[in-house]
Amino acid sequence: MSKSTLNEAVLSQLLDLMRNGQLQRCVEMGVEPEVLGQIQHPTVLSLLRNTPVSWVNVSINSSMILKLLTGAARTEEETRLIERAIRLGATTSLLGKFFGLTPQEIALQRTVIGVRAPRGRWPELSEDQDHHIWHRWTKLMDEHRVELEDSLAMLDVAMLVAEELSTDGLTLAQIWSRITQWVEQGLYPGSSERSRVTERRQLTLLDEGGLRHVDESGTASIHPGEGDQRR
């Protein structure tokens, strides 16, 4: 945009604001009150409109643009996450806890995507279902290196489990409830304890020509080396 075009665009905006009585907005744009008193005079208008000198400075706040773009992407991702959770059978309380949605907003979301709200009590999990949830949850927690303190990452893992076990009629609400019970009971070790278990599993000691493996219980087992093989 040329200097004259930019001057013309800002001048038109100022005049429009003044006609609508938005004088404070003109001041906020950087125009002094005494200038506003003269700006509608034909001679002043002609001077401001036709001068080759730019009297408008435009700057781009790149950091703000990046923040806005990041915020928009985050909003889209959050929207997809909410829809995914609803389709997998998340309860109103679960959606409110993680995404701050009101019951009315959740009801509208369900209506839009055609999902009915869960009603009544959940059926008791069978022993097989309980086993499957535990097996898949712990495996995915380890694979994705999710910490118990990262509740949103844990919810994502729970949704993966729900998607895998949806054919068994299990919902995200049931799976999340069971997972939180296990965590509260301390049945799933924290990251520091898992690290110690991994170290114990990998610890090997050379002993008399063989390898001594130390398992989780601390019991050493001797695996004969080449020199101990029966000839």
Side-chain angles (χ1 to χ4, degrees):
M1 183 179 289
S2 67
K3 294 179 180 179
S4 59
T5 304
L6 191 57
N7 288 345
E8 176 69 27
V10 173
L11 184 59
S12 297
Q13 184 178 6
L14 287 171
L15 292 173
D16 186 60
L17 290 171
M18 292 175 68
R19 281 193 295 269
N20 288 285
Q22 296 178 278
L23 301 181
Q24 183 58 38
R25 182 71 183 90
C26 295
V27 174
E28 291 172 357
M29 289 176 64
V31 182
E32 299 294 336
E34 54 269 23
V35 175
L36 289 176
Q38 305 176 50
I39 206 169
Q40 296 187 76
H41 193 280
T43 303
V44 176
L45 280 176
S46 177
L47 173 64
L48 295 177
R49 181 177 287 118
N50 299 312
T51 179
V53 179
S54 176
W55 47 268
V56 177
N57 291 321
V58 177
S59 62
I60 296 176
N61 190 331
S62 298
S63 61
M64 181 57 68
I65 291 176
L66 289 174
K67 287 181 180 178
L68 291 171
L69 293 177
T70 302
R74 189 185 305 116
T75 300
E76 291 176 4
E77 177 62 28
E78 187 174 90
T79 300
R80 286 194 293 268
L81 200 61
I82 291 170
E83 181 176 330
R84 181 182 170 205
I86 290 175
R87 290 188 184 280
L88 291 171
T91 60
T92 298
S93 61
L94 182 61
L95 294 166
K97 173 185 175 182
F98 277 95
F99 306 108
L101 299 175
T102 65
Q104 293 76 17
E105 290 172 326
I106 295 169
L108 178 59
Q109 287 275 1
R110 286 189 175 123
T111 301
V112 168
I113 63 178
V115 174
R116 291 184 178 182
R119 297 182 180 279
R121 294 177 61 86
W122 304 320
E124 291 291 330
L125 297 176
S126 68
E127 187 174 339
D128 284 344
Q129 288 175 325
D130 211 44
H131 172 76
H132 289 156
I133 294 172
W134 171 265
H135 174 72
R136 291 305 301 150
W137 175 61
T138 54
K139 184 175 178 61
L140 289 169
M141 287 284 283
D142 287 340
E143 286 180 356
H144 294 276
R145 300 181 182 276
V146 175
E147 304 293 343
L148 293 179
E149 295 77 14
D150 192 344
S151 57
L152 195 58
M154 282 185 58
L155 179 64
D156 187 56
V157 169
M159 286 195 282
L160 289 174
V161 177
E163 286 166 345
E164 290 184 9
L165 302 181
S166 60
T167 54
D168 292 344
L170 295 173
T171 66
L172 176 60
Q174 290 173 288
I175 292 169
W176 182 255
S177 175
R178 199 69 186 100
I179 288 172
T180 53
Q181 288 175 11
W182 288 327
V183 172
E184 290 170 359
Q185 293 167 5
L187 298 179
Y188 184 75
S191 57
S192 59
E193 177 61 25
R194 293 202 305 277
S195 297
R196 289 195 294 270
V197 169
T198 302
E199 289 173 2
R200 288 198 296 268
R201 285 174 176 169
Q202 296 177 343
L203 179 62
T204 59
L205 298 175
L206 186 62
D207 181 34
E208 297 179 356
L211 289 177
R212 175 185 294 174
H213 293 268
V214 182
D215 61 18
E216 295 178 26
S217 64
T219 303
S221 59
I222 303 297
H223 296 267
E226 185 176 336
D228 296 323
Q229 298 286 346
R230 290 187 177 180
R231 299 185 184 276

